[in-house]
Amino acid sequence: MLTHVAAEVAFGLENLGTPPGEIRAQAAAALASVGAAHLLERPTSALSGGELQRLCLASALALRPRLLLLDEPTSQLDPEAAAAFLDTATRTGAAVVISEQRPARPLAHAFRVVFLAGGRIELDAPIADAERWLALHHPSFLGPQPELPAQSDEVSSAPLLTCRGLSFAYADGPPFALPELELRRGEIVALVGPNGSGKSTLARLATGLLEPRTGKIERLGRAGLLLQDPGRYLVTERAEEEVALGVGGDLGRARQQLARVGLAGFERRHPRDLSSGERERLALACVLVTEPEVLVLDEPTRGVDPERKDELARLLRVEAPRRGTLVVTNDDVFAAQVADRTVSVGAGRGEPALV
Ligand SMILES: Nc1ncnc2c1ncn2[C@@H]1O[C@H](COP(=O)(O)OP(=O)(O)OP(=O)(O)O)[C@@H](O)[C@H]1O
Ligand SMILES: [Mg+2]
């Protein structure tokens, strides 16, 4: 990744021998097509997860390819951007192959569906046949399955977490305001808002990883944070050791926790050899094992397939009475499925609320 957004999008065009006079306009057009025109002059190190994903998509679209291979292109895009991107991709005239864990939107655009499981092609069929087959064999891929434990009725009255009047500024960025937030034991709150609106920032403030510029945060008990890109922070050579790090090396507790997130049998696997969904669940185990009172999960469904998402929703609901849970998510279906209520961040499209 180059240091600036404009250079990153221009890189591929330069390699294709695009006349220098045309590069900037083409790069700007590609960024605009994914709602990222405002990022042109930004350093790549100062982008949110979804802003980075938009940049990568713009870099691919700028080359005007005839074949677009997209591996979970919308996993970090907010719902509006995800819908817009799929429209854009299908209007390029390219043949488009998309692998997706949020399949509802791509299914609406697809002509054909290939279903892979355990390294085998289980289905290769036109869309209408595929939808019938999915309804029968993997209904979660058509929509979340409803039999979740009822939403919490045991919400305690004293908040575990209160954020009031918060604002924050990154080193070279403008100050922006964040919404009021209260979280009580027993409830699951979804934090939603456009890419770049400040959701991850609020998650870090709430768990004490960042200090606010103004405002007050009150927290009772221990906080645990699952980061938006947890794969980057795994340090040991075995999944069980990674989880045991949080509990003084207790491998017994680590194994139990791995089983709770559906990773029994993965104890001795190298964290870096896991799929992104498995890594996401490993990172979740690392946080859950410490039994935090305030649990903050930043994009916990990234790379997680719909059946595992249903399981994750069930796990969070079953465990909800033990703590307060804040789920930061761009996955609107998951938010509706898991949360008791929703708090929105940001002023509007893709901008934090400036103060
Ligand atoms: N390390 C950083 N340095 C400078 N600016 C940053 C940094 N990280 C994020 N920002 C900026 O701060 C704002 C809020 O970013 P944040 O990561 O909190 O957004 P988000 O709502 O989590 O977005 P996404 O849905 O894409 O994950 C954005 O304008 C972003 O570009
Ligand atoms: Mg984020």
Side-chain angles (χ1 to χ4, degrees):
M1 177 103 3
L2 299 174
T3 56
H4 277 79
V5 168
E8 182 66 34
V9 187
F11 182 70
L13 294 168
E14 286 161 0
N15 280 299
L16 287 184
T18 308
E22 294 172 20
I23 287 182
R24 202 168 164 86
Q26 277 193 35
L31 282 165
S33 75
V34 294
H38 62 294
L39 302 177
L40 186 70
E41 306 296 338
R42 296 276 294 275
T44 51
S45 60
L47 298 181
S48 73
E51 289 169 342
L52 262 181
Q53 192 163 28
R54 289 174 191 227
L55 165 58
C56 295
L57 296 171
S59 303
L61 292 176
L63 307 180
R64 299 182 183 156
R66 285 191 290 170
L67 172 62
L68 260 175
L69 297 170
L70 302 166
D71 189 358
E72 297 199 36
T74 68
S75 62
Q76 296 196 69
L77 297 190
D78 61 61
E80 202 180 312
F85 173 72
L86 290 170
D87 284 340
T88 304
T90 43
R91 270 192 277 106
T92 57
V96 183
V97 180
I98 296 185
S99 81
E100 256 301 341
Q101 305 290 19
R102 293 198 287 177
R105 286 191 188 89
L107 281 176
H109 288 84
F111 294 100
R112 218 174 101 210
V113 177
V114 178
F115 193 95
L116 292 172
R120 283 185 35 239
I121 293 181
E122 288 198 353
L123 171 86
D124 181 348
I127 180 72
D129 296 344
E131 282 180 334
R132 276 192 292 276
W133 184 88
L134 286 170
L136 203 58
H137 298 283
H138 298 281
S140 300
F141 282 75
L142 297 175
Q145 296 307 292
E147 9 71 60
L148 282 184
Q151 307 228 319
S152 322
D153 48 9
E154 282 178 43
V155 175
S156 73
S157 53
L160 288 171
L161 173 73
T162 312
C163 301
R164 291 210 192 291
L166 294 189
S167 70
F168 184 79
Y170 286 98
D172 41 11
F176 55 96
L178 293 156
E180 308 272 297
L181 177 66
E182 269 191 1
L183 183 65
R184 292 160 206 277
R185 188 182 300 278
E187 68 176 350
I188 301 181
V189 174
L191 193 60
V192 301
N195 293 133
S197 56
K199 302 181 298 295
S200 296
T201 306
L202 183 53
R204 291 195 198 103
L205 289 165
T207 47
L209 235 62
L210 291 175
E211 286 292 320
R213 176 175 159 277
T214 61
K216 201 163 168 208
I217 300 167
E218 285 175 295
R219 197 183 325 107
L220 292 178
R222 220 178 19 258
L225 171 63
L226 175 70
L227 289 159
Q228 186 163 356
D229 191 3
R232 286 203 225 170
Y233 306 95
L234 300 172
V235 292
T236 68
E237 309 223 321
R238 283 186 182 181
E240 60 186 10
E241 289 168 4
E242 193 72 38
V243 180
L245 278 180
V247 283
D250 185 339
L251 288 175
R253 263 176 85 183
R255 289 177 195 138
Q256 273 175 9
Q257 188 58 61
L258 282 170
R260 266 161 75 199
V261 299
L263 287 179
F266 286 71
E267 294 81 2
R268 299 183 170 205
R269 289 277 294 275
H270 197 297
R272 305 228 168 260
D273 293 341
L274 302 178
S275 76
S276 63
E278 289 160 356
R279 251 196 324 269
E280 193 71 40
R281 282 184 284 139
L282 171 60
L284 177 65
C286 293
V287 178
L288 280 180
V289 76
T290 65
E291 295 285 344
E293 273 88 17
V294 174
L295 174 65
V296 181
L297 306 172
D298 196 353
E299 303 291 349
T301 61
R302 217 168 64 105
V304 176
D305 72 56
E307 283 159 3
R308 297 283 184 195
K309 266 186 228 180
D310 285 346
E311 280 168 26
L312 175 62
R314 200 169 301 122
L315 173 73
L316 294 178
R317 290 237 63 91
V318 167
E319 298 218 343
R322 296 158 82 150
R323 55 179 65 94
T325 308
L326 182 67
V327 178
V328 179
T329 186
N330 283 306
D331 187 333
D332 47 348
V333 177
F334 186 71
Q337 184 185 16
V338 77
D340 300 297
R341 62 188 173 89
T342 297
V343 171
S344 300
V345 186
R349 289 201 73 203
E351 292 293 340
L354 300 182
V355 290

